[in-house]
Amino acid sequence: MEKNALLAGGAVVVVVAAVATALLVPGVLADPTDEGPVRPGPVDVADVSIAAGPATGETVTLAVETRIDHRGNPTNNVSVLVRAVDAESGLLTTTERIPVGNVSRDGEVTAGTNVTVPREGGYDVEVVLYRDAERVDERHKSVRGVSAIKPPYLQSTTSFTESEALPPVSFSITDAGEDRTTMNLMATLTNTGDDPAENLEVTFVLRQAESNIVASRTTVDAGAIQAGRTETVEASATVPNEYNYYIDAVLLRDGVVIDTARGAANLNPTRTISVNQTTEDVELRVEDFEDDDDGVRPTNQPEATYTETSQPGFGALAALVALVASALVARGWTK
């Protein structure tokens, strides 16, 4: 009995000591799982995609989507910085910051933003991932040829054909006079879209090859071009003979240029030009390109006539000598 009582007393002493320790020493009975601040889970840039957005005549908007991969414990204060740098000059063009906030679940989180840049050249897009203002990852992508992204008023499914068998611009001679030639101009258009193309016009401009003088300009209605069809637009022009010309065809819709094409007309048999080159200079008579009030250039004009002495510069001296001689003779007669 004494032994059992001794053991019981010892147990009581241990319990009392434990209770006293818990009361006097803070933190002894703390949760064993509480190990201080939780280490945030890792985050990194999984992928970056860039899509073309709305465009104007001067700028284009790039839609940048960043996919962030997260694992483990929650991560707070996550953000993404997107920068567009001019690929040629290296100058910073625009910057956008995306606040992502707290990320707790495992997997990918998407952060998207738009950056607006001038519609020319190319850009290097830098995506930087931050956690609590600390850079943890980054990704780079390049975009080239943003000038090809057209605003709505420049978008069209209709354009000039690009075929040697069916050239975009051609011509035929309808009347060949002594001084002027009348040509029938033709431009070939193709609608590659799914809907009819309407409100189209074609302007033909004929420029003398060596001087770039505009010899003729005319605009015709292209009508409606059905989907998947190819049509030819025709016009007439009269120009002076013995010159070579570039034929520029301009496709317009509501006054906006949406496509251009060029051809060549060689009316000077001694010299030829092509669409991409000219040869030698020629003597240019500007009066050939002048228009009278009635639209008809006179062909036979009388030339000015004048007399010329055999010894230019001595006419006045000879006349003075003759006058003096005549005076002396008259004086002799009077004596």
Side-chain angles (χ1 to χ4, degrees):
M1 292 294 294
E2 295 179 359
K3 184 178 180 179
N4 292 336
L6 183 61
L7 293 174
V12 171
V13 172
V14 172
V15 172
V16 172
V19 172
T21 302
L23 295 175
L24 297 176
V25 181
V28 172
L29 295 181
D31 186 354
T33 61
D34 187 6
E35 299 178 354
V38 178
R39 183 181 181 86
V43 288
D44 54 40
V45 179
D47 187 32
V48 174
S49 61
I50 303 175
T56 67
E58 296 181 349
T59 64
V60 61
T61 299
L62 303 177
V64 182
E65 182 182 82
T66 305
R67 303 189 69 84
I68 304 170
D69 184 60
H70 171 260
R71 292 289 184 271
N73 297 329
T75 303
N76 299 330
N77 196 21
V78 177
S79 63
V80 176
L81 180 68
V82 179
R83 301 190 301 179
V85 179
D86 187 280
E88 182 175 351
S89 66
L91 298 176
L92 178 64
T93 302
T94 184
T95 301
E96 295 289 341
R97 181 176 288 273
I98 316 166
V100 180
N102 301 332
V103 182
S104 57
R105 66 180 182 86
D106 290 350
E108 291 186 352
V109 178
T110 301
T113 189
N114 294 329
V115 292
T116 301
V117 296
R119 196 172 67 88
E120 60 183 6
Y123 299 90
D124 295 324
V125 179
E126 303 175 357
V127 176
V128 184
L129 180 63
Y130 287 89
R131 179 185 61 203
D132 286 330
E134 177 188 0
R135 179 183 297 212
V136 294
D137 197 11
E138 62 183 75
R139 186 70 62 89
H140 298 260
K141 279 211 168 181
S142 297
V143 179
R144 297 292 184 267
V146 297
S147 60
I149 305 174
K150 297 181 179 180
Y153 62 84
L154 289 179
Q155 297 176 3
S156 176
T157 59
T158 304
S159 60
F160 292 105
T161 58
E162 297 181 0
S163 170
E164 294 183 0
L166 193 62
V169 179
S170 57
F171 74 97
S172 62
I173 303 296
T174 59
D175 182 44
E178 293 184 2
D179 298 315
R180 298 205 162 216
T181 297
T182 300
M183 297 185 293
N184 183 46
L185 308 176
M186 293 163 282
T188 308
L189 302 170
T190 299
N191 180 8
T192 58
D194 298 329
D195 300 314
E198 300 177 344
N199 301 323
L200 298 175
E201 293 179 333
V202 176
T203 296
F204 293 94
V205 180
L206 276 75
R207 303 176 187 273
Q208 200 271 332
E210 290 78 14
S211 68
N212 208 34
I213 292 178
V214 175
S216 176
R217 181 194 302 267
T218 182
T219 300
V220 293
D221 186 2
I225 302 178
Q226 300 300 316
R229 297 290 299 275
T230 298
E231 302 289 347
T232 299
V233 179
E234 300 185 10
S236 179
T238 301
V239 295
N241 293 341
E242 299 182 359
Y243 293 101
N244 296 325
Y245 299 91
Y246 287 124
I247 307 174
D248 291 321
V250 183
L251 179 61
L252 302 101
R253 183 183 60 198
D254 296 331
V256 178
V257 176
I258 57 179
D259 198 15
T260 60
R262 169 171 282 193
N266 293 302
L267 302 186
N268 185 345
T270 63
R271 298 176 175 89
T272 60
I273 62 171
S274 65
V275 172
N276 297 320
Q277 98 179 38
T278 60
T279 54
E280 55 189 286
D281 294 336
V282 298
E283 181 182 356
L284 178 68
R285 298 186 303 273
V286 178
E287 61 270 16
D288 289 345
F289 298 91
E290 293 179 348
D291 291 329
D292 294 333
D293 294 338
D294 58 359
V296 179
R297 185 180 64 86
T299 55
N300 296 319
Q301 296 182 353
E303 295 183 356
T305 59
Y306 62 95
T307 58
E308 183 178 31
T309 61
S310 58
Q311 295 180 348
F314 292 92
L317 180 60
L320 181 59
V321 172
L323 180 60
V324 172
S326 299
L328 293 176
V329 171
R331 184 178 180 181
W333 286 350
T334 56
K335 292 181 178 180

